[in-house]
Amino acid sequence: MRKFLFLFSLLGIFSPAQIAAQADVRVKSDTMSFVKPSAFPKELKEDRVKVNFYGFIRNDIFYDTRQNIGAGENIVPLYPRDRLSDVNGNDINKASKFHMLSVVSRAGINVKGPDILHAKTAGILEAEFFGSTEAGINELRLRHAYVTLDWEKTQLGIGQYWHPLVILDCLPNVVNYSTGSPIFALNRNPQIRLTQKITDRFKVIAAINSQRDFTPNTSPYRDSGIPSSHLQFQYKSPKFVAGIAGQYEVLRPQLSSGTPPLVNNNRLKSFTTSVYARIITKPLMISASAMMAQNAASFVMLGGFVGYSTPGEADLFRTMNTQSAWIDFQQLTDKKITFGFFAGIVKNQGTNDPIEGRTATSYGVTSSWGAVSATQGGRSVDHLWRIVPRVDWSLSNTIKLRFEVENTVAVWGDAQNTGRGIGNEFTAKNNRFHLATFFMF
């Protein structure tokens, strides 16, 4: 009874496999203790926290055939830039770019604590050098910081971790640090997550979330006074994973509008749903997902929301709709060299019910980067597709090389008050040649 009172008072969780899931990381055992266990009284030994260190040193070398909109000095390439003509009609953005970075090298600790309320306790603290802003590249930033309590069929997790829509059991296996965005959802956030095993293969995940690093402005999320809510159902066997997930979110984009200020109590409601599946066979692993999202900019996807303003009245808001789908093939063998392939598409559907006669402005990180606009005279990406062949070479359990060629096509158009890009289309293409080296520990 005490266990369930404790769970319902906190509400949240992390899925069981997630603590141990650290892609491309080989954990080496270590401990913080400097005295032999026998030197501790029994009570102290039971309360000790065991610490394991892990991480990798990663270097990325990449060459682009066109200028891009991206993050982290373009280590995360998102959209090939629109045509930009000089006085002679030449395309300024038709220019190549080369760079090398080591900022996604990371280190972390896994900790195991004493049992509490008959639950096993654990935690993770992980950081990298990506920085929290474009100007802060090379600076240390928090990735994960969470704790979990595990009972036989129930798990409770609290802290910052992958958003529940980032399904660790069904991820694109691309080399690029973007993990497939803007086609695949990319987000880490503070959350409380509750996972309940119904059977050995079926579980239900419920969570409440806030936003931190994946939006240029957290105020609309905080000012709503309501956390985002998530519900997911997942079936998992040794050779097959499938699930469906949904998120409901309420934002208050503005406290006031105009000058002089006018209180704005208007809210923005959005709903996102995703289905996913992974099939694991001896020679090949196939992963796929489809998503219908609203305000997808918080997932580093194509989208956001639009505000409609007019003098003397509070602004009104409409969410933009986004559709995406992808599939990933990964060769599974004992050989040192393996191959993979990713393909995906994302579509900007804009708002369903734009408000005529008002000035339209788009919001979200996609708008901040200049990839989406709802203002007359602006430009928007209407849709984007990407194909990515890759090869992995494992020299040892510690040293690994990964190489891919990322072919991305973005179709730009004139900005509509819905946020879509229609008319005067331009197709921007970029090829990225990307080599990543890993030293894992």
Side-chain angles (χ1 to χ4, degrees):
M1 179 60 71
R2 287 184 300 169
K3 179 184 78 173
F4 289 104
L5 288 174
F6 181 73
L7 291 174
F8 290 132
S9 67
L10 291 175
L11 181 61
I13 203 156
F14 294 96
S15 61
Q18 291 176 346
I19 295 177
Q22 296 295 331
D24 293 323
V25 172
R26 184 168 63 90
V27 178
K28 182 172 66 177
S29 179
D30 199 359
T31 178
M32 293 291 289
S33 59
F34 297 96
V35 184
K36 293 181 179 180
S38 59
F40 286 95
K42 180 179 180 181
E43 295 81 4
L44 291 179
K45 286 194 292 183
E46 291 176 349
D47 290 339
R48 276 196 308 156
V49 174
K50 297 180 180 180
V51 180
N52 289 325
F53 294 89
Y54 68 87
F56 55 75
I57 301 168
R58 171 172 168 163
N59 184 60
D60 292 89
I61 306 169
F62 46 94
Y63 172 86
D64 293 295
T65 58
R66 186 177 182 82
Q67 297 292 296
N68 278 277
I69 293 174
E73 296 184 358
N74 256 343
I75 197 170
V76 180
L78 297 169
Y79 309 97
R81 287 192 178 273
D82 192 14
R83 180 181 178 88
L84 179 62
S85 299
D86 68 2
V87 292
N88 297 316
N90 299 313
D91 187 359
I92 296 173
N93 286 328
K94 190 179 181 181
S96 61
K97 180 177 289 189
F98 173 83
H99 203 15
M100 292 190 293
L101 287 169
S102 298
V103 297
V104 294
S105 300
R106 73 183 60 152
I109 55 173
N110 277 320
V111 297
K112 291 184 178 180
D115 290 359
I116 296 176
L117 297 175
H118 307 291
K120 297 183 181 300
T121 63
I124 184 173
L125 181 64
E126 182 178 294
E128 65 184 3
F129 299 90
F130 188 79
S132 57
T133 65
E134 196 69 22
I137 197 79
N138 272 347
E139 294 177 357
L140 193 68
R141 78 160 176 178
L142 179 70
R143 279 176 57 87
H144 303 304
Y146 69 90
V147 295
T148 57
L149 283 79
D150 275 282
W151 289 271
E152 183 179 357
K153 293 186 176 181
T154 308
Q155 187 189 74
L156 173 70
I158 305 173
Q160 178 164 304
Y161 195 62
W162 288 112
H163 190 283
L165 282 171
V166 181
I167 313 298
L168 297 185
D169 290 314
C170 188
L171 285 176
N173 196 28
V174 295
V175 177
N176 194 287
Y177 186 61
S178 68
T179 322
S181 60
I183 297 167
F184 176 75
L186 177 64
N187 190 306
R188 291 179 296 272
N189 56 1
Q191 60 190 276
I192 304 173
R193 192 188 299 196
L194 178 68
T195 297
Q196 181 65 46
K197 286 185 178 180
I198 307 302
T199 68
D200 289 340
R201 296 186 175 185
F202 182 73
K203 63 185 176 183
V204 180
I205 303 169
I208 56 174
N209 318 301
S210 66
Q211 293 289 350
R212 179 60 194 94
D213 293 337
F214 290 80
T215 175
N217 182 13
T218 62
S219 294
Y221 301 87
R222 293 182 284 124
D223 291 340
S224 71
I226 303 173
S228 304
S229 56
H230 177 93
L231 185 63
Q232 183 176 159
F233 301 93
Q234 184 186 91
Y235 174 88
K236 182 179 180 181
S237 70
K239 295 185 178 181
F240 181 70
V241 177
I244 183 170
Q247 171 175 286
Y248 178 72
E249 192 168 65
V250 179
L251 276 64
R252 185 180 179 182
Q254 294 178 353
L255 294 179
S256 64
S257 300
T259 304
L262 191 69
V263 171
N264 191 338
N265 285 310
N266 293 320
R267 299 302 207 266
L268 181 75
K269 301 176 182 179
S270 62
F271 180 75
T272 295
T273 184
S274 174
V275 293
Y276 59 91
R278 168 174 282 181
I279 300 173
I280 303 171
T281 64
K282 188 174 182 180
L284 194 66
M285 178 173 66
I286 305 173
S287 307
S289 177
M291 179 178 289
M292 297 183 64
Q294 293 185 317
N295 189 23
S298 62
F299 298 118
V300 198
M301 296 177 67
L302 187 61
F305 64 94
V306 179
Y308 298 90
S309 61
T310 193
E313 296 183 31
D315 289 4
L316 300 174
F317 303 95
R318 299 289 186 268
T319 186
M320 295 175 62
N321 302 287
T322 302
Q323 295 178 351
S324 74
W326 59 268
I327 189 168
D328 187 274
F329 301 88
Q330 177 62 48
Q331 182 184 8
L332 297 179
T333 68
D334 295 330
K335 297 180 180 179
K336 291 186 176 181
I337 297 178
T338 59
F339 297 90
F341 181 82
F342 169 88
I345 186 169
V346 60
K347 173 72 173 177
N348 173 9
Q349 297 283 19
T351 63
N352 290 330
D353 49 353
I355 302 173
E356 303 296 336
R358 291 192 172 208
T359 300
T361 304
S362 60
Y363 295 91
V365 68
T366 316
S367 298
S368 300
W369 285 329
V372 166
S373 175
T375 304
Q376 186 176 5
R379 298 278 285 173
S380 278
V381 175
D382 189 71
H383 59 278
L384 174 147
W385 67 87
R386 177 177 292 168
I387 57 173
V388 191
R390 63 178 181 269
V391 59
D392 295 350
W393 185 15
S394 296
L395 300 176
S396 68
N397 290 333
T398 301
I399 306 295
K400 187 173 184 177
L401 281 68
R402 306 193 70 198
F403 177 77
E404 70 181 13
V405 180
E406 182 182 281
N407 306 275
T408 303
V409 176
V411 178
W412 292 78
D414 289 339
Q416 309 296 306
N417 65 352
T418 61
R420 289 194 61 185
I422 300 175
N424 193 25
E425 286 89 357
F426 175 76
T427 301
K429 301 177 181 179
N430 178 60
N431 294 320
R432 164 164 288 200
F433 301 87
H434 191 149
L435 173 66
T437 61
F438 295 82
F439 184 98
M440 295 171 285
F441 58 90

